[in-house]
Amino acid sequence: IMETEPEITTEDLASIQDVLGTATTSFSSSGAARSTNVSVGASKINGRVLMPGEVLSGYECLQPFTSANGYKGAASYANGQVVDSIGGGVCQVSTTLYNAALQAELEIVERQNHSMIVTYVDPSRDAAIAGTYKDLKITNNYSTPIYIEAYTSGRKLTFTCYGQETRPANREVEYISETISRTDPGAPIERVNNSLAPGTRRRVSSGHVGIKSRLWKVVKVDGVETERTLLNTDTYNASKAVYE
């Protein structure tokens, strides 16, 4: 297998001068392992340059999800439950990149929501990574290169897309999350664990409200709405809390 670096000219690099879109999410409630995974995942995308027409795959950038690749075991979603897995938390990396790409109006080739709601972005603004069947793919639809910066600081993750701004200054883009319905998860599940000390009650998994939502792209020119486009319609499953 031969790998060749893309040919980027000095003229190409000179065009990367404007902030096209940026997004920040917080992981302040995350433990040490998940925080490590967020930082490691961000470092694997930071500094990438997308040439015109080139596609970035979140999964290809972030995998393999192994200890050897810098990841640790942390909470993630699987089959409607919260479980520990190597690389748990990298979906926050793809989600933050997704929101920066939306602001930059890059072309979203592929995006799927999580099975259950996440707390670091509004409904329908998330982007899950799960093997090759849930991926975030972004195309550079500009005629000039895009540079992607990613970093963590103060328990926050920031993605910024740089390039050459060609959009009119009087044009504004906004993304609106709309919750259509909610489903209560119901009473928690309680199960006996004889290995616990008598009288102990431990939460194994927190409950999640089920939500159906959609995401709108709203374009305004001189403050007047000129376009409203439906981007996503998503269903997030409800799940009961589990106690032992």
Side-chain angles (χ1 to χ4, degrees):
I1 298 174
M2 302 284 290
E3 287 192 11
T4 57
E5 294 294 332
E7 294 182 3
I8 303 175
T9 66
T10 303
E11 184 180 40
D12 287 334
L13 293 174
S15 71
I16 303 174
Q17 55 187 322
D18 303 312
V19 173
L20 303 179
T22 188
T24 299
T25 61
S26 172
F27 55 97
S28 59
S29 62
S30 298
R34 188 181 186 279
S35 298
T36 295
N37 293 341
V38 171
S39 297
V40 168
S43 71
K44 295 184 184 303
I45 299 179
N46 178 49
R48 289 185 179 261
V49 175
L50 282 183
M51 299 301 288
E54 188 175 356
V55 178
L56 180 146
S57 161
Y59 173 75
E60 290 299 327
C61 292
L62 298 170
Q63 62 90 33
F65 300 110
T66 61
S67 299
N69 203 24
Y71 295 113
K72 297 181 180 296
S76 62
Y77 293 161
N79 300 318
Q81 297 293 325
V82 178
V83 299
D84 270 356
S85 64
I86 302 297
V90 294
C91 286
Q92 185 161 353
V93 175
S94 59
T95 291
T96 311
L97 171 59
Y98 174 59
N99 281 267
L102 286 177
Q103 294 297 333
E105 294 186 85
L106 298 176
E107 181 184 351
I108 309 301
V109 179
E110 182 180 340
R111 170 262 171 198
Q112 286 88 26
N113 63 292
H114 288 77
S115 59
M116 297 183 293
I117 203 71
V118 297
T119 58
Y120 44 84
V121 289
D122 292 333
S124 288
R125 296 195 67 151
D126 60 315
I129 296 285
T132 56
Y133 66 94
K134 280 191 176 183
D135 195 3
L136 174 67
K137 292 182 179 178
I138 298 168
T139 297
N140 177 7
N141 52 345
Y142 285 74
S143 60
T144 50
I146 299 293
Y147 176 85
I148 299 176
E149 178 188 64
Y151 65 90
T152 59
S153 176
R155 310 281 282 179
K156 290 184 178 180
L157 167 64
T158 298
F159 269 87
T160 304
C161 299
Y162 295 90
Q164 185 172 26
E165 183 63 85
T166 58
R167 296 169 294 182
N170 63 341
R171 181 177 178 276
E172 176 188 357
V173 178
E174 181 182 8
Y175 295 90
I176 300 174
S177 168
E178 177 189 4
T179 296
I180 302 169
S181 63
R182 289 176 171 268
T183 303
D184 191 283
I189 298 171
E190 294 190 350
R191 62 194 186 202
V192 175
N193 182 344
N194 290 321
S195 67
L196 299 178
T200 301
R201 189 172 187 266
R202 181 180 68 182
R203 188 177 71 179
V204 178
S205 178
S206 57
H208 289 78
V209 174
I211 288 180
K212 185 173 183 180
S213 61
R214 54 192 177 190
L215 185 67
W216 298 91
K217 177 183 179 180
V218 178
V219 177
K220 295 180 180 179
V221 177
D222 292 325
V224 178
E225 183 176 323
T226 59
E227 179 186 335
R228 181 175 288 251
T229 306
L230 179 62
L231 296 185
N232 306 327
T233 299
D234 302 310
T235 299
Y236 301 90
N237 301 325
S239 67
K240 298 176 182 291
V242 178
Y243 289 87
E244 293 182 340

